[in-house]
Amino acid sequence: MSQIDAGTILPSERMRQQALDGEVTQIHRGQAYAEAGDTFTVDGETFEITAVEERTLGDMTDADARAEGAADLDGYKEMLRQAHDHFEWDDDSDIVRHAFEKQ
């Protein structure tokens, strides 16, 4: 277990603020950036990584999308299209879910 930089797990200031507000409780990334038990701090608040799980985009649900700050899976897909040039959704693409809780 180690302390990681908040920007490593939550790459935008908007997402860090959403985590502080309780609107974001997980993030999917293309690879693992942390291990369960690692912690990070945002504006003096400590968060603990509670789970790191390999998945595919096809495993994503509306509940996952809401946990990442989107209204539903369609909104999540649009968020990804806006954030990544030339993004195409592929159900078979490997991703890693990082779930976290405020301590």
Side-chain angles (χ1 to χ4, degrees):
M1 294 182 260
S2 60
Q3 174 77 23
I4 60 174
D5 183 86
T8 299
I9 197 72
L10 298 170
S12 74
E13 180 59 38
R14 177 186 58 81
M15 290 200 81
R16 291 188 289 276
Q17 185 59 53
Q18 287 177 304
L20 281 172
D21 296 341
E23 298 169 9
V24 170
T25 57
Q26 70 180 28
I27 185 170
H28 285 80
R29 305 289 305 271
Q31 65 188 49
Y33 286 91
E35 296 179 4
D38 287 351
T39 58
F40 62 94
T41 304
V42 178
D43 291 345
E45 295 284 345
T46 299
F47 293 81
E48 181 179 347
I49 304 292
T50 57
V52 177
E53 176 185 18
E54 293 183 9
R55 306 177 75 193
T56 65
L57 283 175
D59 294 329
M60 295 278 302
T61 65
D62 283 333
D64 288 313
R66 285 189 295 276
E68 294 200 33
D72 56 24
L73 191 54
D74 287 335
Y76 180 77
K77 290 177 182 181
E78 183 57 32
M79 205 167 56
L80 289 179
R81 285 186 198 97
Q82 291 177 9
H84 303 284
D85 292 337
H86 312 293
F87 176 79
E88 291 185 33
W89 187 274
D90 178 353
D91 281 347
D92 296 325
S93 290
D94 293 325
I95 54 176
V96 178
R97 181 177 72 97
H98 301 77
F100 51 87
E101 296 176 350
K102 192 185 297 189
Q103 297 301 289

